Amino acid sequence: MKREEAMAKAHDLVSKMTLEERASQLRFDAPAIDRLGIPAYNWWNEALHGVARAGTATVFPQAVAMAAMFDDEKMKEIGDVISTEGRAKYNEYSKQGDRDIYKGLTFWSPNVNIFRDPRWGRGHETYGEDPYLTSRLGVKFVEGLQGEGEVMKTAACAKHFAVHSGPEALRHEFDAIATKKDMFETYLPAFEALVKEAKVESVMGAYNRTNGEPCCGSKTLLVDILRKLWGFEGHVVSDCWAVKDFHENHKVTSVPEESVAMALEAGCDCNCGCTYQHIMSGVKKGLVKEEDITKSCERLFTTRYLLGMFGQCEYDDIPYEMVECKEHVELALDVARKSMVLLKNDGILPLKKEEIKTIGVVGPNANSRVPLFGNYYGTSSRYITVLEGIQDEVGSDVRVLYSEGCHLSKDRAESLAMADDRISEAVTVANHSDVTVVVVGLDETLEGEELDQSNGVGSGDKDDLLLPEPQRRLLQAVADTGRPFVVVLMAGSSIDLSFAQEHANAILQAWYPGARGGKAAADLLFGRYSPSGKLPVTFYYNTNHLPEFTDYSMKGRTYRYMEEEALYPFGYGLTYGRTAVTDAVLKNVPAADTDILVGITVKNEGSTEVEDVVQIYIKDKDSALAVKNYSLCGFQRISLKAGEEKRIDMVIGNRAMTVVDEEGERSVKGKNFALYVGTSQPDKRSVELTGTRPLEIDFTI
């Protein structure tokens, strides 16, 4: 169905409603209007990494883990699977008259905020710190969710618009101050791409203010930029209870009716929360315009018509058996393998079962289900922890010894015991094992959304980048045995791994890897597959060089602007092979208004079949407006057998040559550029860690 047809149908239906009925449909929990044949509909559903909060579903790795694949086409496949399961569940629930929350077709995903500061607890919901990577992955994910049929398969939502990445504890009152340059250079490009390229059906406003305006009532964001500049045609939804913040916390209005008027005038069509229950009171007080109510109601029903809700559509026959089917589970497992990042390996990996009699597995995340799924998750019918994955892999051939080692964050596992009550057991395990796998990290009880799932630190943000103190003592104790050990880190953000880098034989970043994540980790540890993930965020040594968390200037943040050396740089990740970019040439004559075509020769000089990611970064050598370092402008995942050589072509959009001025205007200013083509950034630390240097191509337009 074309939007024009859906708009006409929506206009006709809304015209038959009373004003009170129109107002009621602007709530996230819109009631039925029986006389018009309109069933109740709850707009709130989640699909960050699988259909969430409504029972069984395929649980994919957390968003930041999926980003580590650097694979936009795989993101589209994931989005398609999620929408298939969402439709299957919706079809069955609707038949039973179940119109509850989390059971609709409007998914409030993806989160395309920029992970600008590693302390932000919700950063693992995003695709990392780079606006280009976030844009490419987000576009494909939305395309997968929304489909290419006669009607939309499901409706995606780009959130949280905009300039939103902590602190969580202050989000209901915080004013994020960002220059126009930072906004259009870093904070807004992903939203622009999702609107213009993917035609995302919905945009969610953020809790905070941006440059003085509450985001869910911001004329600058919702009118001037979103609708006028970018031509957005879908609907806008508030973050949950964000409109209430206008008068209660931001203090930009005095009463709920004023908040309603501000939000509706800015084009916030659907209210997740309770404030739009004051719409009719606002009308009576002369604050809320009837035409704003009608306009928002028509936008919302346009979406419902586009989803085929008022008739038969091609997705009605998707059977419930598609939910967590074998093919979907296999895809999630494949994504988990591809997302994990090998940060260090002195040659101990892959482990060889025939050379091991006893393997130790210790650590608070080794046998915990919680770090498998992150937040905003569905329910899996089966979970495989790292311990279970290793046990399944080695079978009866190798003895597996296990110790929790320590509590995730408390100083003892048993409340009546002395501090470090599991350390001696962990040391015993290490001393009796040929190699020990130490599984440490965080989970959603330590990093996440404000007050979400009762996280242990309230706001969900981190104070620093250190592992919890009991885990640091555990690592020290295992290291002190002098026995070989491998660290598996399960966390959704940058962690200070300097101790592990110095003392461990290998480090595998496993993120929050989904329901069967333990099997994926075992597959990599024992060499069934080679690790191939790349970091979508910078791993810093500490926060000493970072600006204040509340400072939204990009100066000193992320790989594009940082001035110090990283512990593990953005784009870094090892494999069990040795991928070399042996040649890279321009295949056209670049100009300011043309794309760049690069011909690349890649060879696996190792003895193991691998997948790897070819990355291209660009630097403007002339303009003072260019980012301090360089920017990712192209990536492609490639598979190579041992000794195999491949030639590929990569297209770099001409937008990569643009810079953003202080007024937020984007244009080409420079003449001289450099491209860096390799499997990492060209920075000194990446070269040191990988032993390879990207090829440089200098060109002039």
mmCIF file of all heavy atoms in Angstrom, residues 405-407 410-425 470 473:
data_model
loop_
_atom_site.group_PDB
_atom_site.id
_atom_site.type_symbol
_atom_site.label_atom_id
_atom_site.label_comp_id
_atom_site.label_asym_id
_atom_site.label_seq_id
_atom_site.Cartn_x
_atom_site.Cartn_y
_atom_site.Cartn_z
ATOM 1 N N GLY A 405 34.284 -18.480 41.488
ATOM 2 C CA GLY A 405 35.415 -17.581 41.672
ATOM 3 C C GLY A 405 35.136 -16.402 42.560
ATOM 4 O O GLY A 405 35.917 -16.084 43.466
ATOM 5 N N CYS A 406 34.038 -15.710 42.290
ATOM 6 C CA CYS A 406 33.615 -14.570 43.094
ATOM 7 C C CYS A 406 32.215 -14.176 42.655
ATOM 8 O O CYS A 406 31.734 -14.605 41.607
ATOM 9 C CB CYS A 406 34.566 -13.380 42.943
ATOM 10 S SG CYS A 406 34.603 -12.661 41.289
ATOM 11 N N HIS A 407 31.581 -13.365 43.459
ATOM 12 C CA HIS A 407 30.304 -12.781 43.063
ATOM 13 C C HIS A 407 30.566 -11.744 41.980
ATOM 14 O O HIS A 407 31.674 -11.219 41.853
ATOM 15 C CB HIS A 407 29.628 -12.148 44.282
ATOM 16 C CG HIS A 407 28.248 -11.639 44.032
ATOM 17 N ND1 HIS A 407 27.999 -10.393 43.517
ATOM 18 C CD2 HIS A 407 27.034 -12.227 44.221
ATOM 19 C CE1 HIS A 407 26.692 -10.225 43.404
ATOM 20 N NE2 HIS A 407 26.082 -11.326 43.816
ATOM 21 N N LYS A 410 29.697 -8.230 44.548
ATOM 22 C CA LYS A 410 29.853 -8.225 46.002
ATOM 23 C C LYS A 410 31.139 -8.939 46.404
ATOM 24 O O LYS A 410 31.701 -9.703 45.622
ATOM 25 C CB LYS A 410 28.647 -8.907 46.653
ATOM 26 C CG LYS A 410 27.324 -8.204 46.369
ATOM 27 C CD LYS A 410 26.155 -8.973 46.954
ATOM 28 C CE LYS A 410 24.829 -8.318 46.612
ATOM 29 N NZ LYS A 410 23.670 -9.097 47.125
ATOM 30 N N ASP A 411 31.566 -8.712 47.629
ATOM 31 C CA ASP A 411 32.871 -9.255 48.033
ATOM 32 C C ASP A 411 32.807 -10.703 48.489
ATOM 33 O O ASP A 411 33.825 -11.279 48.850
ATOM 34 C CB ASP A 411 33.518 -8.375 49.106
ATOM 35 C CG ASP A 411 32.789 -8.448 50.447
ATOM 36 O OD1 ASP A 411 31.708 -9.081 50.514
ATOM 37 O OD2 ASP A 411 33.287 -7.861 51.427
ATOM 38 N N ARG A 412 31.623 -11.306 48.472
ATOM 39 C CA ARG A 412 31.515 -12.721 48.840
ATOM 40 C C ARG A 412 30.302 -13.335 48.141
ATOM 41 O O ARG A 412 29.314 -12.643 47.863
ATOM 42 C CB ARG A 412 31.414 -12.873 50.354
ATOM 43 C CG ARG A 412 30.171 -12.307 50.982
ATOM 44 C CD ARG A 412 30.406 -11.963 52.443
ATOM 45 N NE ARG A 412 31.296 -10.812 52.575
ATOM 46 C CZ ARG A 412 31.911 -10.451 53.707
ATOM 47 N NH1 ARG A 412 31.756 -11.171 54.800
ATOM 48 N NH2 ARG A 412 32.692 -9.390 53.741
ATOM 49 N N ALA A 413 30.401 -14.613 47.848
ATOM 50 C CA ALA A 413 29.306 -15.323 47.188
ATOM 51 C C ALA A 413 28.251 -15.764 48.185
ATOM 52 O O ALA A 413 27.063 -15.791 47.877
ATOM 53 C CB ALA A 413 29.851 -16.535 46.426
ATOM 54 N N GLU A 414 28.680 -16.130 49.398
ATOM 55 C CA GLU A 414 27.767 -16.525 50.458
ATOM 56 C C GLU A 414 27.757 -15.438 51.523
ATOM 57 O O GLU A 414 28.813 -15.004 51.994
ATOM 58 C CB GLU A 414 28.200 -17.861 51.074
ATOM 59 C CG GLU A 414 28.100 -19.051 50.144
ATOM 60 C CD GLU A 414 26.656 -19.433 49.852
ATOM 61 O OE1 GLU A 414 25.763 -19.013 50.621
ATOM 62 O OE2 GLU A 414 26.424 -20.147 48.852
ATOM 63 N N SER A 415 26.572 -15.023 51.926
ATOM 64 C CA SER A 415 26.465 -13.851 52.802
ATOM 65 C C SER A 415 27.125 -14.043 54.163
ATOM 66 O O SER A 415 27.607 -13.077 54.763
ATOM 67 C CB SER A 415 24.991 -13.486 53.000
ATOM 68 O OG SER A 415 24.274 -14.569 53.575
ATOM 69 N N LEU A 416 27.173 -15.280 54.673
ATOM 70 C CA LEU A 416 27.763 -15.511 55.990
ATOM 71 C C LEU A 416 29.253 -15.846 55.932
ATOM 72 O O LEU A 416 29.902 -15.973 56.969
ATOM 73 C CB LEU A 416 27.014 -16.645 56.705
ATOM 74 C CG LEU A 416 25.535 -16.375 57.013
ATOM 75 C CD1 LEU A 416 24.924 -17.568 57.735
ATOM 76 C CD2 LEU A 416 25.373 -15.098 57.838
ATOM 77 N N ALA A 417 29.769 -15.982 54.724
ATOM 78 C CA ALA A 417 31.180 -16.343 54.581
ATOM 79 C C ALA A 417 32.077 -15.111 54.710
ATOM 80 O O ALA A 417 31.613 -13.975 54.755
ATOM 81 C CB ALA A 417 31.406 -17.011 53.230
ATOM 82 N N MET A 418 33.382 -15.356 54.749
ATOM 83 C CA MET A 418 34.350 -14.270 54.741
ATOM 84 C C MET A 418 34.489 -13.729 53.322
ATOM 85 O O MET A 418 34.060 -14.360 52.351
ATOM 86 C CB MET A 418 35.705 -14.775 55.251
ATOM 87 C CG MET A 418 35.677 -15.256 56.700
ATOM 88 S SD MET A 418 37.260 -15.967 57.230
ATOM 89 C CE MET A 418 38.314 -14.507 57.150
ATOM 90 N N ALA A 419 35.062 -12.556 53.199
ATOM 91 C CA ALA A 419 35.279 -11.971 51.883
ATOM 92 C C ALA A 419 36.136 -12.898 51.022
ATOM 93 O O ALA A 419 36.998 -13.626 51.535
ATOM 94 C CB ALA A 419 35.950 -10.607 52.021
ATOM 95 N N ASP A 420 35.900 -12.848 49.733
ATOM 96 C CA ASP A 420 36.647 -13.659 48.757
ATOM 97 C C ASP A 420 36.518 -15.153 49.040
ATOM 98 O O ASP A 420 37.492 -15.917 48.942
ATOM 99 C CB ASP A 420 38.128 -13.253 48.723
ATOM 100 C CG ASP A 420 38.329 -11.837 48.229
ATOM 101 O OD1 ASP A 420 37.480 -11.361 47.448
ATOM 102 O OD2 ASP A 420 39.324 -11.206 48.607
ATOM 103 N N ASP A 421 35.301 -15.580 49.370
ATOM 104 C CA ASP A 421 35.103 -16.964 49.791
ATOM 105 C C ASP A 421 35.235 -17.979 48.668
ATOM 106 O O ASP A 421 35.323 -19.176 48.925
ATOM 107 C CB ASP A 421 33.729 -17.126 50.460
ATOM 108 C CG ASP A 421 32.577 -16.664 49.583
ATOM 109 O OD1 ASP A 421 32.757 -15.707 48.819
ATOM 110 O OD2 ASP A 421 31.489 -17.264 49.671
ATOM 111 N N ARG A 422 35.273 -17.542 47.407
ATOM 112 C CA ARG A 422 35.425 -18.477 46.303
ATOM 113 C C ARG A 422 36.817 -18.411 45.655
ATOM 114 O O ARG A 422 37.101 -19.143 44.722
ATOM 115 C CB ARG A 422 34.372 -18.209 45.231
ATOM 116 C CG ARG A 422 32.941 -18.545 45.641
ATOM 117 C CD ARG A 422 32.721 -20.046 45.715
ATOM 118 N NE ARG A 422 31.332 -20.353 46.027
ATOM 119 C CZ ARG A 422 30.842 -20.529 47.247
ATOM 120 N NH1 ARG A 422 31.666 -20.430 48.301
ATOM 121 N NH2 ARG A 422 29.567 -20.800 47.439
ATOM 122 N N ILE A 423 37.671 -17.538 46.158
ATOM 123 C CA ILE A 423 38.992 -17.370 45.542
ATOM 124 C C ILE A 423 39.844 -18.631 45.677
ATOM 125 O O ILE A 423 40.483 -19.089 44.715
ATOM 126 C CB ILE A 423 39.742 -16.173 46.164
ATOM 127 C CG1 ILE A 423 39.082 -14.860 45.731
ATOM 128 C CG2 ILE A 423 41.212 -16.182 45.764
ATOM 129 C CD1 ILE A 423 39.382 -14.419 44.329
ATOM 130 N N SER A 424 39.855 -19.238 46.853
ATOM 131 C CA SER A 424 40.705 -20.420 47.051
ATOM 132 C C SER A 424 40.261 -21.557 46.138
ATOM 133 O O SER A 424 41.096 -22.320 45.626
ATOM 134 C CB SER A 424 40.678 -20.861 48.509
ATOM 135 O OG SER A 424 39.361 -21.183 48.921
ATOM 136 N N GLU A 425 38.948 -21.669 45.922
ATOM 137 C CA GLU A 425 38.453 -22.701 45.017
ATOM 138 C C GLU A 425 38.916 -22.414 43.592
ATOM 139 O O GLU A 425 39.337 -23.321 42.860
ATOM 140 C CB GLU A 425 36.929 -22.762 45.069
ATOM 141 C CG GLU A 425 36.334 -23.845 44.169
ATOM 142 C CD GLU A 425 34.827 -23.814 44.165
ATOM 143 O OE1 GLU A 425 34.243 -22.712 44.017
ATOM 144 O OE2 GLU A 425 34.209 -24.894 44.289
ATOM 145 N N PRO A 470 35.872 -7.443 43.233
ATOM 146 C CA PRO A 470 36.064 -8.889 43.460
ATOM 147 C C PRO A 470 36.604 -9.603 42.222
ATOM 148 O O PRO A 470 37.401 -10.549 42.352
ATOM 149 C CB PRO A 470 34.657 -9.382 43.804
ATOM 150 C CG PRO A 470 33.938 -8.181 44.298
ATOM 151 C CD PRO A 470 34.492 -7.029 43.511
ATOM 152 N N ARG A 473 40.335 -9.025 41.913
ATOM 153 C CA ARG A 473 41.085 -9.892 42.827
ATOM 154 C C ARG A 473 41.124 -11.323 42.294
ATOM 155 O O ARG A 473 42.138 -12.025 42.446
ATOM 156 C CB ARG A 473 40.473 -9.839 44.226
ATOM 157 C CG ARG A 473 40.630 -8.484 44.913
ATOM 158 C CD ARG A 473 40.400 -8.580 46.415
ATOM 159 N NE ARG A 473 39.027 -8.915 46.760
ATOM 160 C CZ ARG A 473 38.059 -8.024 46.969
ATOM 161 N NH1 ARG A 473 38.319 -6.728 46.860
ATOM 162 N NH2 ARG A 473 36.836 -8.418 47.293
#
